[in-house]
Amino acid sequence: MIRRPPRSTLSSSSAASDVYKRQVGDQVEGTVAQLAANEDGQVILHVYHGSGLNSDAYAPILELSPSAQDQHPLISCELDVLCLVPKDTPLAALHAQVVAAMLLQLQVSAEMSPARTWHLHPVLSTHPITMVCPDGHSEQQAREHRTHTHIRLSLPLDRPLLHPRFALNSGAVQHAEKQGGIGGPRLSCTHVGLQPSGLEDGVEYLVDGEYDYYHYMQDGFDDNGWGCAYRSLQTIWSWFLKQGYVQRPVPTHREIQQALVEYQAKPAKHAGSKEWLGALEVASALDQLSDGEIVCNIEYVPEGADLEDKGNFLMKHFQTVGSPIMMGGGVLAFTMAGIDYNAELGQVRFLILDPHYTGKDVLKSIQPRWCGWKDIEFFDKFSFYNLCLPQRPTGQI
């Protein structure tokens, strides 16, 4: 174990990077708070970063003592600040910035006490954002506060980018069950790092947001030969989960089947069966599982050879919605995560996540065969296809 350097090694001229190394150089857990009395008999609170440490060896990261005159208003808030500084910022300047951030947060919190604070880094923002909101408000009031902040920051109003479940320290964005992978954790965004499709003068239009790649045999469940549409639905659900639209974990095959029974799209005997699903059933299951929040559009394509004629249609979907698309044709189902489109020539390459993969969750084994660019020859020319295009829920901030 690497021990932290003693506090004497840090001075007002030390760089911020030295403080960072000191914090991460030891295997610490959480914080330690200690009460002590000063020379005047006042009780002082010392807070140390770490656990099981000898507090005498380390300087406290926070020291609070009572005011000499108790004439200040009581503010109930979570004092939690986040400062971005260059690595070579002197410790004295870092201290000044932290103090300034704390004073600003106290000022804001005083206007809405009690208040709660959380930090976020939305994918559409170049820097982290700190939210300070009244604590104890109804969900409607909290939504109105977030909506106002979305508008002020020019963030889109069709996704909950500032919701507290996406706080940097909440871990909520890790909802998806990574342990379900084969030979390792389940993989996310498996298209990242792919070579270009090779289409001349094409423009890529891709899924907007993270997703997990679901395929045959994951979760210790043998669905080889019948579960491809279920896996496509699970990939789509993971996208909605990671974007914050749903909180329910990715549904199992049995839960999908039961949802279709409750939706009256399938008879009771369907639950527990190995019956295939098509795009219409996937749309119905998404509707039922999300309590009507996820609505899907269905696009019918008479023959696989006609898919290339849908280039403009698919381009608009990925530009405006950005969700993965489930596509079913013949006896196979796939997930489409984007297109490469030459609008002038009407040529398209399709970014396909193939759920029929049965191997280990290792990227080099998946790219580019099971996750990669496909031309029109990949599809059955004489089979019709239904495209299930999930839409973003409205009114969620």
Side-chain angles (χ1 to χ4, degrees):
M1 178 186 299
I2 302 175
R3 299 295 296 178
R4 292 194 232 172
R7 63 180 175 180
S8 59
T9 62
L10 291 180
S11 66
S12 61
S13 61
S14 298
S17 58
D18 296 330
V19 180
Y20 174 77
K21 292 176 182 178
R22 177 172 176 176
Q23 291 292 334
V24 302
D26 202 356
Q27 298 179 8
V28 297
E29 301 175 1
T31 58
V32 173
Q34 292 185 349
L35 290 175
N38 63 10
E39 297 177 354
D40 299 326
Q42 292 180 318
V43 177
I44 300 177
L45 173 65
H46 284 172
V47 181
Y48 299 87
H49 189 74
S51 63
L53 303 175
N54 179 5
S55 60
D56 294 335
Y58 308 104
I61 61 174
L62 178 65
E63 178 176 312
L64 299 177
S65 62
S67 172
Q69 295 181 345
D70 188 15
Q71 299 177 348
H72 302 287
L74 178 63
I75 300 174
S76 176
C77 67
E78 298 175 359
L79 194 58
D80 184 1
V81 298
L82 175 65
C83 298
L84 294 182
V85 296
K87 291 183 178 180
D88 57 353
T89 301
L91 187 56
L94 176 63
H95 173 268
Q97 291 199 37
V98 171
V99 170
M102 293 173 68
L103 291 174
L104 177 60
Q105 191 172 116
L106 283 172
Q107 180 181 357
V108 174
S109 299
E111 300 173 359
M112 56 183 70
S113 180
R116 59 178 303 201
T117 304
W118 65 94
H119 310 290
L120 311 101
H121 194 178
V123 293
L124 299 181
S125 175
T126 58
H127 55 81
I129 296 171
T130 297
M131 290 287 291
V132 181
C133 296
D135 197 10
H137 273 193
S138 67
E139 177 56 32
Q140 177 62 32
Q141 291 172 314
R143 185 181 298 113
E144 291 175 355
H145 185 90
R146 294 194 297 270
T147 300
H148 177 68
T149 307
H150 270 250
I151 295 172
R152 290 181 59 193
L153 299 177
S154 298
L155 295 173
L157 298 175
D158 62 348
R159 61 201 76 177
L161 297 174
L162 303 180
H163 198 283
R165 63 175 172 265
F166 287 105
L168 292 177
N169 60 348
S170 71
V173 291
Q174 305 297 328
H175 273 312
E177 298 174 357
K178 295 295 185 180
Q179 68 271 22
I182 301 174
R186 200 188 319 274
L187 299 179
S188 300
C189 302
T190 48
H191 69 283
V192 176
L194 279 172
Q195 294 296 315
S197 73
L199 180 65
E200 187 175 355
D201 296 326
V203 179
E204 293 183 1
Y205 302 94
L206 305 177
V207 61
D208 181 10
E210 295 186 357
Y211 62 86
D212 290 330
Y213 172 50
Y214 281 77
H215 59 80
Y216 278 167
M217 307 297 291
Q218 286 181 330
D219 309 293
F221 185 74
D222 185 357
D223 58 346
N224 192 358
W226 62 273
C228 52
Y230 295 83
R231 298 299 186 176
S232 181
L233 185 153
Q234 290 175 326
T235 296
I236 291 172
W237 191 273
S238 74
W239 181 86
F240 279 97
L241 189 64
K242 287 175 175 288
Q243 311 322 305
Y245 290 116
V246 297
Q247 299 186 53
R248 177 175 180 165
V250 174
T252 64
H253 292 57
R254 183 61 180 256
E255 289 171 338
I256 295 170
Q257 293 172 339
Q258 186 60 41
L260 288 170
V261 172
E262 295 172 359
Y263 196 79
Q264 298 184 353
K266 291 289 185 180
K269 64 180 181 180
H270 176 67
S273 71
K274 295 183 178 182
E275 185 177 342
W276 299 341
L277 299 182
L280 294 175
E281 287 88 356
V282 168
S284 299
L286 288 171
D287 188 342
Q288 179 69 22
L289 289 164
S290 67
D291 295 324
E293 290 290 337
I294 300 177
V295 176
C296 300
N297 295 338
I298 301 294
E299 183 72 11
Y300 173 71
V301 183
E303 295 182 343
D306 299 328
L307 281 168
E308 202 162 36
D309 297 334
K310 296 294 181 181
N312 198 54
F313 172 81
L314 294 170
M315 174 191 71
K316 290 181 178 179
H317 171 80
F318 286 112
Q319 279 184 320
T320 60
V321 180
S323 65
I325 298 173
M326 180 270 178
M327 55 188 309
V331 296
L332 300 176
F334 303 98
T335 307
M336 188 189 306
I339 62 169
D340 194 2
Y341 183 40
N342 183 322
E344 183 177 351
L345 300 178
Q347 296 177 337
V348 185
R349 297 293 184 272
F350 305 87
L351 180 55
I352 299 298
L353 310 176
D354 194 338
H356 302 92
Y357 177 62
T358 59
K360 293 183 178 180
D361 284 88
V362 178
L363 192 60
K364 65 180 181 180
S365 300
I366 295 171
Q367 292 182 349
R369 179 180 177 184
W370 302 99
C371 171
W373 293 104
K374 311 296 180 184
D375 59 22
I376 196 64
E377 300 299 324
F378 176 77
F379 305 100
D380 187 339
K381 294 182 179 180
F382 305 106
S383 176
F384 74 87
Y385 282 81
N386 276 326
L387 307 182
C388 175
L389 301 98
Q391 306 299 297
R392 289 182 183 268
T394 58
Q396 289 202 24
I397 294 293

